[in-house]
Amino acid sequence: MKAIALFSGGLDSCLAIKIIQNMGIEVEAVNINTGFDSNFDKFDLLSQTAKELGVKFSVIDEREHFLDEILFSPKYGYGKNFNPCIDCHANMINIAYKYMKDVGASFIISGEVLGQRPMSQKLDGLKKIEKITIQPEIVVRPLSAKLLPPTLPEINGWIDREKMYDISGRERKVQMELAQKFGLKNYESPAGGCLLTDRNFSTKLKNFIKENRLDVEDIDILKVGRHLKIDDKLVIISRNKDENPILKSYNGDKFEKMYPIGTPGPVGLIQKGATKETKIKASEVLITYTKANQAIVGINGENFEVNSLNSKEDIKKYMIF
């Protein structure tokens, strides 16, 4: 008997795996990548955590389908920001279901806790998720199973309902006690997670899609940098050396790259179609974040020799985030 676990790397999903493993069920962990996780090192951490749990781990790239079919037209709307949590969770279950069939597994497990999240993990939210999932009766939530109707794996005797739990709410005391019991130490902090629930990121995204189609290659550049609007053109400037490679690696068709020449400094992107005057303004902003008072900025084969602005306060008139 084999189960597929929806795997976030957080404590709850790790506990769900351990609970089912302890019933003698083989578990394979699957992460559904929609592109909006806040942690750029996510998959390395997931791989390490899965190894410690003793489970096979796979990532399913769902980014393109998520953008095309879920993000902008959710049946059950959004949470407080740009988060279509109910549709997203149902979609993850449906993707896991197809994978389950491919690998010969029998059911799906999730680390969801009843009442822990305001939109998708209340009882009403779970019922809505059931309405748009392919086979909801095979989805087991081991941490809250005793508070929910019996699932097919329980009814068929594949797993023991009495060995599962009745955890609910946002309090994590019981989970911490279980982590100690199971010897779990390395799991992702709950402080991370989906950026679509973040107000600032959602504002960046809404500003971006006013004039642009959001493609997969655009997602990462929305996660980083200072976002400015200069003469109606979006400009993104890295905030530190860790963000430089992310902007450097951009391979979409909506922006041109900006570099200081001959002096260390940030990397920038400027929306295509900018006039020379706008490029000069953007170059001045870029240079203000270097130690040079005057420098050359390269933009798509053109060089602009500019002076830095008098102070970073002068940038505020352009700043979005």
Side-chain angles (χ1 to χ4, degrees):
M1 184 70 65
K2 181 176 180 178
I4 299 300
L6 290 170
F7 187 51
S8 69
L11 176 57
D12 293 339
S13 65
C14 291
L15 288 173
I17 288 172
K18 292 297 291 186
I19 292 166
I20 298 301
Q21 280 181 322
N22 287 347
M23 297 186 206
I25 304 293
E26 179 188 354
V27 178
E28 180 174 343
V30 172
N31 180 266
I32 314 298
N33 176 23
T34 64
F36 291 96
D37 196 273
S38 60
N39 190 345
F40 282 101
D41 298 322
K42 174 81 171 183
F43 301 113
D44 291 337
L45 294 171
L46 286 174
S47 182
Q48 181 61 36
T49 303
K51 184 177 180 181
E52 292 173 5
L53 289 166
V55 296
K56 181 180 176 183
F57 167 60
S58 302
V59 177
I60 299 176
D61 188 345
E62 174 63 6
R63 293 175 297 171
E64 188 168 342
H65 176 256
F66 184 72
L67 294 186
D68 290 344
E69 304 293 335
I70 308 295
L71 182 58
F72 301 112
S73 56
K75 180 175 181 178
Y76 288 107
Y78 300 98
K80 288 184 177 179
N81 294 296
F82 217 122
N83 46 311
C85 294
I86 289 174
D87 292 74
C88 181
H89 280 246
N91 182 58
M92 287 183 179
I93 291 170
N94 289 338
I95 298 298
Y97 176 83
K98 294 172 186 175
Y99 185 82
M100 179 194 82
K101 290 293 187 181
D102 289 342
V103 300
S106 300
F107 62 99
I108 296 165
I109 64 174
S110 167
E112 292 166 291
V113 171
L114 187 64
Q116 188 178 85
R117 301 287 184 224
M119 188 175 183
S120 62
Q121 292 181 20
K122 288 186 176 180
L123 189 58
D124 178 63
L126 294 178
K127 288 179 179 178
K128 289 176 180 176
I129 289 171
E130 287 184 358
K131 290 180 181 179
I132 51 176
T133 51
I134 297 171
Q135 197 176 349
E137 66 272 15
I138 63 165
V139 181
V140 179
R141 298 173 174 90
L143 294 173
S144 296
K146 289 183 177 180
L147 300 174
L148 300 169
T151 58
L152 193 64
E154 296 166 76
I155 294 168
N156 288 346
W158 302 342
I159 56 175
D160 187 349
R161 184 177 178 86
E162 293 307 310
K163 292 181 179 178
M164 295 189 284
Y165 294 83
D166 58 357
I167 303 170
S168 65
R170 301 178 67 87
E171 173 64 50
R172 297 174 64 81
K173 181 180 177 181
V174 178
Q175 288 97 310
M176 298 304 294
E177 291 172 352
L178 285 175
Q180 188 171 11
K181 174 183 174 181
F182 293 143
L184 295 177
K185 295 179 180 178
N186 297 314
Y187 46 84
E188 191 172 25
S189 164
C194 178
L195 284 168
L196 294 171
T197 65
D198 179 81
R199 181 177 62 85
N200 289 346
F201 181 84
S202 296
T203 300
K204 289 181 183 180
L205 176 55
K206 289 173 183 177
N207 179 74
F208 184 88
I209 63 174
K210 282 179 183 177
E211 300 175 12
N212 300 282
R213 170 187 163 85
L214 183 69
D215 295 311
V216 168
E217 57 267 23
D218 303 318
I219 297 174
D220 281 353
I221 65 171
L222 292 178
K223 298 179 183 181
V224 301
R226 304 172 181 90
H227 286 232
L228 311 99
K229 208 63 174 293
I230 302 177
D231 298 338
D232 293 325
K233 295 297 180 183
L234 181 61
V235 175
I236 303 172
I237 296 175
S238 63
R239 292 172 293 196
N240 53 55
K241 64 180 181 180
D242 294 329
E243 293 185 346
N244 280 351
I246 296 163
L247 296 186
K248 277 184 180 179
S249 64
Y250 174 74
N251 61 357
D253 60 0
K254 301 180 183 71
F255 293 86
E256 296 174 336
K257 295 174 186 177
M258 305 168 56
Y259 299 94
I261 297 174
T263 185
V267 175
L269 297 176
I270 183 169
Q271 193 175 350
K272 283 188 175 180
T275 64
K276 181 178 179 180
E277 180 183 2
T278 303
K279 289 179 179 179
I280 290 171
K281 291 178 184 177
S283 298
E284 290 172 342
V285 172
L286 187 79
I287 292 304
T288 306
Y289 286 105
T290 72
K291 293 182 179 180
N293 293 321
Q294 184 180 60
I296 297 172
V297 174
I299 303 176
N300 195 33
E302 293 183 275
N303 291 339
F304 300 92
E305 186 171 353
V306 295
N307 297 318
S308 67
L309 298 173
N310 292 328
S311 73
K312 292 177 184 177
E313 291 293 312
D314 295 335
I315 297 171
K316 284 188 175 180
K317 62 184 177 182
Y318 301 128
M319 192 71 72
I320 302 171
F321 278 106

